[in-house]
Amino acid sequence: MGHNLGLSHASGLDCGSEVIHAGQLYDNGSLDLNTFCISWEYADNFDIMGFLSSGHFNAPHKERLGWFEPGNVRVLATSQDSGTYTIKSLENFSTGIQAIRIPMGIDSVGRWNYYNIEYRQPLGFDGYLQSYPNITNAALVHLSIINSVTGASSKSLLLDMTPDSYIGSCSGIGCMDFRDPALAIGQTFTDPTGITITPVANDSSSLTVKVNIPPTPRVLLFSPNDGGFASRNFNIIASAMADQQINQVSFFVDGELLGSDTASSDSSFSMG
């Protein structure tokens, strides 16, 4: 039914020993030895569009469906939005915040990438979460990918805040390690641009989380991938965000200016 309403599968992003890799914020769709992360279809165990046969949709999917009331989703876009917030559980009706969305930038194919923070409790269709204390006492964080033209969500990817915790013979990229993906109380996730997310307290109805967004420009290199290699002719693509409008991004190698690109409407810059 979710597909009929425009939803994709609830997937997971596997970056091996990392939660997320700089410049790898989009869906590869397949395992490739030249990339750092892969998307596992259905890997979100906590959404009916994943492995579940029942249960609630995650926050990106509920927002896509128009489930939330005005005020349920709080967007934190600049350093002035840094602070401590209380998130109500996703299962019950609320007039408070039930999801936090943090813009990450534009990926290499022109889609907006966001962090989404939510809080889940074993209520109603989510009653099965009684078996997942890692989930009900922590924050779930997803990467959502949104078409910058239509505004429609094209992908939901669960982030694993305990990477490589799978116990067995398998480790690294290629292991489905999404049984304990939540961000625990007191644990801090720091993304490649310096954004930090720290759950600080919780009870049966809400989670308190501290978010810090740095005031300095946040630049992500998407092509070539951070740590990757390039030869012959190639394009350089980066996403840049800051509290104020960015009018130009310049590209240097070993201190030598290669070129510059002026601002575009979607915060994506490139040269080739």
Side-chain angles (χ1 to χ4, degrees):
M1 183 176 179
H3 289 313
N4 293 332
L5 297 174
L7 298 182
S8 300
H9 293 141
S11 304
L13 188 68
D14 183 356
C15 297
S17 61
E18 299 178 281
V19 174
I20 200 166
H21 187 83
Q24 194 71 31
L25 307 184
Y26 52 89
D27 175 28
N28 285 309
S30 62
L31 178 60
D32 186 328
L33 295 178
N34 295 318
T35 60
F36 296 90
C37 305
I38 60 173
S39 167
W40 285 108
E41 203 80 356
Y42 305 106
D44 188 347
N45 294 309
F46 312 103
D47 186 297
I48 197 170
M49 298 303 292
F51 278 134
L52 289 179
S53 58
S54 64
H56 277 261
F57 294 114
N58 61 36
H61 282 166
K62 284 196 171 187
E63 185 174 9
R64 174 74 174 92
L65 295 172
W67 192 295
F68 290 124
E69 298 288 333
N72 286 156
V73 179
R74 180 65 185 269
V75 179
L76 310 181
T78 70
S79 63
Q80 283 78 20
D81 296 319
S82 297
T84 302
Y85 296 88
T86 298
I87 305 174
K88 297 295 184 179
S89 64
L90 198 65
E91 294 79 11
N92 288 331
F93 171 81
S94 176
T95 58
I97 298 172
Q98 291 184 288
I100 288 178
R101 184 149 55 92
I102 306 171
M104 301 163 62
I106 303 290
D107 67 21
S108 63
V109 292
R111 301 173 301 183
W112 274 102
N113 287 221
Y114 294 90
Y115 292 119
N116 291 264
I117 310 171
E118 65 187 63
Y119 183 55
R120 304 285 286 273
Q121 287 295 286
L123 302 171
F125 290 110
D126 269 354
Y128 74 97
L129 290 176
Q130 290 180 349
S131 302
Y132 293 88
N134 167 259
I135 304 302
T136 58
N137 291 289
L140 273 183
V141 184
H142 290 84
L143 164 63
S144 64
I145 303 171
I146 297 178
N147 188 299
S148 56
V149 177
T150 65
S153 176
S154 59
K155 197 71 173 177
S156 165
L157 293 157
L158 179 63
L159 298 183
D160 183 10
M161 295 296 167
T162 60
D164 269 1
S165 62
Y166 178 82
I167 299 176
S169 60
C170 179
S171 64
I173 293 177
C175 284
M176 296 199 59
D177 181 25
F178 295 98
R179 302 176 186 179
D180 54 353
L183 186 64
I185 302 298
Q187 180 183 358
T188 296
F189 164 63
T190 303
D191 94 323
T193 68
I195 295 172
T196 63
I197 301 170
T198 308
V200 295
N202 75 299
D203 58 29
S204 61
S205 64
S206 63
L207 171 78
T208 302
V209 61
K210 184 177 182 181
V211 177
N212 183 70
I213 301 174
T216 54
R218 306 186 302 279
V219 179
L220 285 172
L221 183 66
F222 286 104
S223 177
N225 289 326
D226 182 30
F229 296 92
S231 61
R232 300 181 181 176
N233 296 325
F234 59 92
N235 291 326
I236 301 175
I237 304 173
S239 176
M241 297 183 65
D243 288 358
Q244 293 81 34
Q245 179 178 345
I246 296 176
N247 295 315
Q248 178 176 297
V249 168
S250 297
F251 299 90
F252 293 83
V253 173
D254 295 332
E256 180 181 352
L257 177 64
L258 294 183
S260 300
D261 187 24
T262 56
S264 62
S265 59
D266 59 6
S267 302
S268 179
F269 300 82
S270 64
M271 65 165 290

